[in-house]
Amino acid sequence: MPELLKLTTKDFKTDQEVRWCPGCGDYAILAAVQGFMPSLGIKREDIVFVSGIGCSSRFPYYMNTYGMHSIHGRAPAIATGLAASRPDLSVWVVTGDGDALSIGGNHLIHALRRNVNLKILLFNNRIYGLTKGQYSPTSEQGKITKSTPYGSLDAPFNPVSLALGAEATFVARTIDSDRKHLTSVLQAAAEHEGTALIEIYQNCNIFNDGAFEKLKDSSVRDRHLIRLEHGQPITFGAGEDRYGIVRMPDATLKAMPLAEAGDSVLVHDAHADEPDLAFALSRLPDPATLSPTPIGVFRSVRRPTYDTLMSDQLDDAARRLGSGKLDELLTGSDTWTIG
Amino acid sequence: MPELLKLTTKDFKTDQEVRWCPGCGDYAILAAVQGFMPSLGIKREDIVFVSGIGCSSRFPYYMNTYGMHSIHGRAPAIATGLAASRPDLSVWVVTGDGDALSIGGNHLIHALRRNVNLKILLFNNRIYGLTKGQYSPTSEQGKITKSTPYGSLDAPFNPVSLALGAEATFVARTIDSDRKHLTSVLQAAAEHEGTALIEIYQNCNIFNDGAFEKLKDSSVRDRHLIRLEHGQPITFGAGEDRYGIVRMPDATLKAMPLAEAGDSVLVHDAHADEPDLAFALSRLPDPATLSPTPIGVFRSVRRPTYDTLMSDQLDDAARRLGSGKLDELLTGSDTWTIG
Amino acid sequence: MTKQVEKVDRVIIRFAGDSGDGMQLTGDRFTSETAAFGNDLSTLPDFPAEIRAPAGTLPGVSAFQLHFADHDILTPGDAPDVLVAMNPAALKANLKDVPRGGTIIVNTDEFTSRALTKVGYTASPLEDGSLDGYKVHKVALTTQTVKVLEEFDISRKDAERAKNMYSLGLLSWLYHRPTDSTVAFLEKKFAKKPEIAAANVAAFRAGWNYGETTEDFVVSYEIAPAPMPKGTYRNIHGNLALAYGLIAASHASGLPMFLGAYPITPASDILHELSKHKNHGVRTFQAEDEIAGIGAALGASFGGALGVTTTSGPGIALKGETIGLAVSLELPLVICDIQRGGPSTGLPTKTEQSDLFLAMFGRNGEAPVPIVAPRSPADCFDAALEAARIAVTYRTPVFLLSDGYLANGSEPWRIPDVADLPVIAPDFATGPNKVLEDGSEAFWPFLRDPATLARPWAVPGTPGLEHRIGGIEKQDGTGNISYDPANHDLMVRTRAAKVAGIDVPDLEVDDPSGAAKVLVLGWGSTYGPIQAACRRVRREGNQVAHAHLRHLNPFPANLGRILKEYDRVLVPEMNLGQLSMLVRARYLVDAVGYNQVRGLPFKAAELAGVITNLIGTTDAVEGVGV
Amino acid sequence: MTKQVEKVDRVIIRFAGDSGDGMQLTGDRFTSETAAFGNDLSTLPDFPAEIRAPAGTLPGVSAFQLHFADHDILTPGDAPDVLVAMNPAALKANLKDVPRGGTIIVNTDEFTSRALTKVGYTASPLEDGSLDGYKVHKVALTTQTVKVLEEFDISRKDAERAKNMYSLGLLSWLYHRPTDSTVAFLEKKFAKKPEIAAANVAAFRAGWNYGETTEDFVVSYEIAPAPMPKGTYRNIHGNLALAYGLIAASHASGLPMFLGAYPITPASDILHELSKHKNHGVRTFQAEDEIAGIGAALGASFGGALGVTTTSGPGIALKGETIGLAVSLELPLVICDIQRGGPSTGLPTKTEQSDLFLAMFGRNGEAPVPIVAPRSPADCFDAALEAARIAVTYRTPVFLLSDGYLANGSEPWRIPDVADLPVIAPDFATGPNKVLEDGSEAFWPFLRDPATLARPWAVPGTPGLEHRIGGIEKQDGTGNISYDPANHDLMVRTRAAKVAGIDVPDLEVDDPSGAAKVLVLGWGSTYGPIQAACRRVRREGNQVAHAHLRHLNPFPANLGRILKEYDRVLVPEMNLGQLSMLVRARYLVDAVGYNQVRGLPFKAAELAGVITNLIGTTDAVEGVGV
Ligand SMILES: Cc1ncc(C[n+]2csc(CCOP(=O)(O)OP(=O)(O)O)c2C)c(N)n1
Ligand SMILES: Cc1ncc(C[n+]2csc(CCOP(=O)(O)OP(=O)(O)O)c2C)c(N)n1
Ligand code: SF4
Ligand code: SF4
Ligand SMILES: [Mg+2]
Ligand SMILES: [Mg+2]
């Protein structure tokens, strides 16, 4: 099929002017997604992008597929109805940290446990962009913003931990500026059957500039970034300073100099039945400094998808009872006749 | 203070007729809570029960304290406003599996990450009681109910996993019929500063009778129930068949015959900084059979509470700037005078 | 003993007992027998909000009222001729409604001093003369049932439970009901527990025989079948008719139905019913909340389904933002509000008509939504079809405003011929609809049909029609985001014009003499009581007209003219005057409301009184004027 | 060169540029200078929904209009006398509003062919004669600024950015504005970057000097200070005044304020402002969504705080269920809706008055809520105090309906004397309020004050008054759950009577001659345009009356009488006719609407035309009648 379609990146661009701030990380993500789409081998008309509200949620306007820019926080719910009634479509959700985790938190966790066939791209810039800079549920504690001039009080969510606690079958994290990594994660998500959550660290250069600088700056990032790969030992660092992740006697994970760690370095298993390791990995970064941050696929396991199960029930019923006849239904079993 | 108050169980009963179905597990929980209250040493007028909607949410009417029976799913939000503005009160939330995890899921996870000083009693009967028997977000997959005559399709939430993924500082589980255990968990929650979530397995004898029978029936329960105690090895079973929980090389937990397990049996640490162990323990039971189910305190750690932090900010500001003067505020710095 | 048989034209029976006594089932069975017999009928169940309130208490009483007759009737009746009271609480809660001279059948077994005290009786009403004005039949229902079932291998509890079937048997004898269907029903219901089935059948038969034998009952009653139009009939509840109407709309339009719903009384049964019909292609989604329910339905509509959401008032209050989105997206969506007592949680199991304003106005901005209301349980079928027709034809969310009384009430329904159902044409877009200046073709998602003002509905999967829509204001035609002031004004007015221009049949007035000066204008479930009241008024020699709105938005084009033809307009509503306010504003007619918010349908007799009084004032006014 | 000085009585200036050009800041500074000088003034910012739309595009244009005068004025003005256009997009987007003969100051540096093409100019409007009818000043703002700042150790980008200060300096010269406050402002704003501060001050001064020196400007203008009542003044925006009003209410009532809010345009600034004033005991809670925001505020009210929630239309659409709960609980709560263009996401940064229906009716069941609306930016202070007074006195949620125009607009405000503010008495319950039949004392949470019908407010921590409240219907007096039909009817009517009986001042009519036949009835932010229009009409020798509602629910008691005193009632609204519908329904008066939903305030000239026309028809009608 991919050969037949011969779609290019250009086919996925629309005639609408892109209206993010110059320098916004959203541009890089858009380019990566538009670049990735042709490789999906899916016709444009069979792809739908659904978003909520936020800077990030303007995304669908720039994708030459079907699309809906809905209301704040509700995209996962709307997309669930679409995907559950149209299993033939490829449905993508674009959302922000406020959209997905503040007002939309409930829809997100329910979509995850249901395992509807949705690919959710969560643009996490740790701030409310569109409303001009209030703190978000992923902002570090103590953050000074327009709505918290004395510093925010609440501990942030870790979206990966939250998703794993919500029975997610696929959870990954990537970074706006690393196109190659981003594309590889999109690929993995697209191949996954069920709900895939991809957290994308995205720079908002206006209201939270440099939030992920440590993880991007090539001179330091290797010290802070753990690239997870299934079946590979979990290591990071640069030059002399290389570390491996090991499990401590008290069951928590720790970064240990490679030399010391030796054989005890854990090997990543994204396909483990239980999310224990994935969860432990999600706890590694310090919520304030984000170091060390694992990126890549934390978890990817198979579980029947909601939409397939629903279709199966319909097919089963039709097979057992025959396709429903309206007159029989209306008549029922308890009638009487006059005249 | 406890001595001075001399309150008894009776002081916490109201004149309202209790209107649950005969045999409902809610009665046992009510009795346990009323029995526990005097030991708190808090005056009745300083205690507030806030609930949502559901059978369980009728609870406040039966507690002779201040109380509010609010709307479906919103109790954690309402209680957050109350607790944050009145840190002098002892605020309790009563909710059901539908109320807390379906419509109210978002408020619950946000209360947990904020660590507001709330004690949340989640009556989990794995069904919607008040609306007469639809499946809930904790019902086992494939459940046949009024709304799922062909079986439910979605994987249930594990409330303990979800709470841990949402940065909870205190998470426990107990069972309606085990008054002693229930009381001990209430005690631990009351002592905790911050949001405490207690999942209480509760029998709905009308719509989901026997859902927890295995964990209650004295002839079998020891085979299915793991009683967590901080600092103690994690074991269960009866007679010859005793098991210990050990960590497998692939990092997951497993129940192993005690003899085999020997020293490798894990010791419970509810106060561990990281929730890794607590999370792994939460994954032990099979979601369908609930075996083996850990009960007790999974996690209890200290983190500043939202209400205290908020009060501190107010106090700080008053200390630094002096208590606010309205005329100064209204005048501001940029004025002109006429006449 | 030979018994007398009396012919009567109508009877109202109320079964009342504890929540656990099975009164709803008993009432349902009696209704089925009555329907099968061919009487016209109307029912009113009335149960507490608690699942099972403590036994023997007033709040725990559950009742079921049934009105049946040898002629066309309209309401479940004002006051019961017969009250079956299974315990002291049931007697106490219901006695005030039974007119003196009425019949009361009590289960004496439950009149223990403890049970009496529980509801505040100091002496037994069976003994202290307080029932002197009634025909009282004291029956030891429990004891007798248990005795009959001694032989059966069932628990004492199960035997006691069968007392409702004993009472059903007795009443079935009393009114000559056919018994076969109940026997068949019991055998099916307890198919997996044959001993229980047999015991219930035995209790039912024993009740019948008790009536036949005991000297306490000397008269039995015959109510001839009612003459009804030719056809095949069944008895149907409002929620069932509504569910069937939606399935019929799915067939009629060829659109697969998708229901996104969150359980809530009194709407849950629609979810339950629809979830059974998977072989009709119906997808039901129990969402995490009402917002997700409507969101998913809207998502499905975008995908080309017939999106439906069902709820009650508190749910609608949550869905407002998403309804606004649906208005802005211009996608079909059927929103069913089964109204209940408000505000807030209110009276969840009681009926009310107080969400009309919410349906009209409960969204930010100018967001008009058409509103359709059924008038009787069976009419829920047609109303649902009509709501779907409007939604699909005009690409708009539509409100279907039912209520608790319609939802749980029932009446005979002539089963329609499927071939007669209206055709609903979704008319999906299949290709470009616009030639651009440069000659190229394009698809403009907001280029409208000039007649209906509906926009094209292009579903994903259609090649070449890829497009994006959203909740920000759109440029007329292209649908691109536009902040242009004039365009916004245009779009707001166009959406309003689309709804205002919906093709709605003219309102019919029931004014047999043509000489009435008073018009009673109603909507929704008050149809039965209003019509019954008008008949009463006319029987007394007065003239009154009745018009009943199916469409609340837009109003029928002739409504204004009709209103002006009458001296006085009375608008009875189970709210504080919502329709009357809309009518006053629109037509500047001094409509007067008659309003009750009691959680119960109007009583025909009471309404008749109000109408008669109003007719009186008209004459007076006219007298002065002339 | 000596320059001419002309005296004028009023000027309207519009600054327009790219989102990134700092036009809002420029406008704010000019406003501050003007306020300090003592002119009366009124402002209208107008910015895009995007944070920073692509540079040089039409959607990216951000504008700020300021009207100032030597006399009392009411609106930001219809058409600018002076347009400052920082680039071709700004010129193109705004030119149509400038009347022929107006002054246009353009930054020629930005008129590159690329920039021109971007907005669809094929030739430069500076050259092709299309500006022939205007007084055009072509200034190379960017180049000149950069040149002035060559000496400074700042980046080229920072130097270019200072061009807005250069233009501010020029305009300040042109209108004789005092410059001290701007210099002080810049020094404070860039306190941490002294070099940038100095550069901006230098640019500002250079702009002034340019005006003083260049031959391009030969005239400068003087606008004398406006005579205003004695007092100390400041310039204030609506959202700031609203926030201050709430803090004042907290002081006046002694209730600590608790704000539960979720950010949304154009309400967010209130959250931002209130979060600064922790030393006033103000707690601000940024909730996870709007429902949690109002829920938390309600919880805080239960605990004895002044609970407040702030949002815009989409947020109100979500809060409906909780507002219904507040109605049922009868707890004080102030709900601020800063209205914006709808439906759905609509036009987030534009103004509209289309949530009046939502505020009146957006809840299930009969759930009346009082509504208060401010009429001008400064009036938001008084309106907030009034909303809080009603909420606390009557134990009820209250709507405060502001809008985007009031929120971001500004005007001079005479700072009130704190001693003159109204006292708000929360009057907490402190002991039992009921003697039971057995002589014992009890606390009944729904035993009402006979005058106000308010229920007692007993806050947790008060010994002996422990009680439970909830959203299910309550028994009158005791507050226990009650499903009794008559009680429900009573409670619904009592809640309605409580709101209907709120003590609201009589409506005042501005009808100087007393001979007007046409009454213009308005509410909210249309005050300024309506009043300005009426003055115009009167100046032309016609008579017109103006009444403006602060209270939309309940209406002032004398409203009905007033309406009947005029032949015609005109209701101008930035919606499709919401107040006019309420008035028509209530008083059966044939009020005619004049409606616009353009996201902009009415223009006084246009409204004056409409009024004059209507006056014409009245005369005609009368002519026929007499
Ligand atoms: C119901 C509702 N509430 C609030 C808003 C205002 N609002 C729009 S986007 C947004 C948050 C944006 O943050 P995020 O989701 O992180 O997206 P970003 O702009 O950072 O990409 C808010 C609060 C709204 N549009 N609708
Ligand atoms: C907004 C709203 N939606 C739905 C309902 C109907 N409703 C009441 S309780 C309930 C669920 C009850 O389940 P759960 O929370 O598990 O409580 P339980 O009755 O089992 O104790 C539902 C759906 C409601 N009252 N309000
Ligand atoms: S505000 Fe931030 S997130 Fe939004 S477009 Fe600008 S840079 Fe991007
Ligand atoms: S329905 Fe279930 S949960 Fe509700 S009161 Fe009855 S037994 Fe308890
Ligand atoms: Mg963000
Ligand atoms: Mg439950």
Side-chain angles (χ1 to χ4, degrees), chain A residues 26 53-57 72 96-100 103 123 125 127-131 136 202, chain C residues 321, chain D residues 262-265 290 314-315 318 340 345:
Chain A
D26 291 352
I53 297 283
C55 293
S56 34
S57 288
H72 200 31
D97 44 325
D99 196 58
I103 192 167
F123 293 26
N125 53 16
I127 199 82
Y128 286 1
L130 190 67
T131 47
S136 93
Q202 172 247 328
Chain C
E321 194 201 7
Chain D
Y262 187 70
I264 188 167
T265 305
E290 281 84 355
L318 287 166
R340 64 188 217 183
T345 307

Side-chain angles (χ1 to χ4, degrees), chain A residues 133-168:
Chain A
Q134 300 82 13
Y135 85 117
S136 93
T138 57
S139 297
E140 59 280 18
Q141 199 165 4
K143 187 158 190 92
I144 307 246
T145 68
K146 285 215 184 101
S147 58
T148 52
Y150 294 89
S152 62
L153 306 176
D154 20 1
F157 278 137
N158 177 325
V160 175
S161 302
L162 182 68
L164 292 169
E167 313 295 327

Side-chain angles (χ1 to χ4, degrees), chain A residues 18 58 72 102 134-135 147, chain D residues 50 54 57 59 262 272 286 288:
Chain A
V18 185
R58 290 295 179 95
H72 200 31
S102 198
Q134 300 82 13
Y135 85 117
S147 58
Chain D
E50 284 82 13
T57 65
Y262 187 70
H272 304 163
Q286 181 177 315
E288 58 271 26

Side-chain angles (χ1 to χ4, degrees), chain B residues 54-73:
Chain B
C55 294
S56 33
S57 288
R58 290 296 180 94
F59 202 91
Y61 288 115
Y62 311 135
M63 293 296 303
N64 197 357
T65 62
Y66 282 88
M68 187 196 292
H69 179 224
S70 75
I71 45 177
H72 200 31

Side-chain angles (χ1 to χ4, degrees), chain C residues 118 135 180 223 386 624:
Chain C
K118 206 163 194 172
K135 293 184 214 128
D180 296 357
I223 300 93
E386 173 67 352
V624 174

Side-chain angles (χ1 to χ4, degrees), chain B residues 260-325:
Chain B
E260 259 178 72
D263 271 3
S264 58
V265 171
L266 291 175
V267 171
H268 184 43
D269 179 6
H271 306 319
D273 278 351
E274 282 303 328
D276 299 17
L277 174 65
F279 186 82
L281 288 170
S282 78
R283 307 307 300 174
L284 280 175
D286 177 296
T289 67
L290 293 188
S291 180
T293 286
I295 61 170
V297 178
F298 285 72
R299 174 168 166 81
S300 168
V301 297
R302 291 189 77 116
R303 197 170 74 212
T305 72
Y306 189 86
D307 32 320
T308 314
L309 291 173
M310 187 178 254
S311 294
D312 288 353
Q313 279 193 337
L314 265 65
D315 294 348
D316 266 16
R319 207 172 309 124
R320 273 186 304 107
L321 309 168
S323 156
K325 300 235 163 42

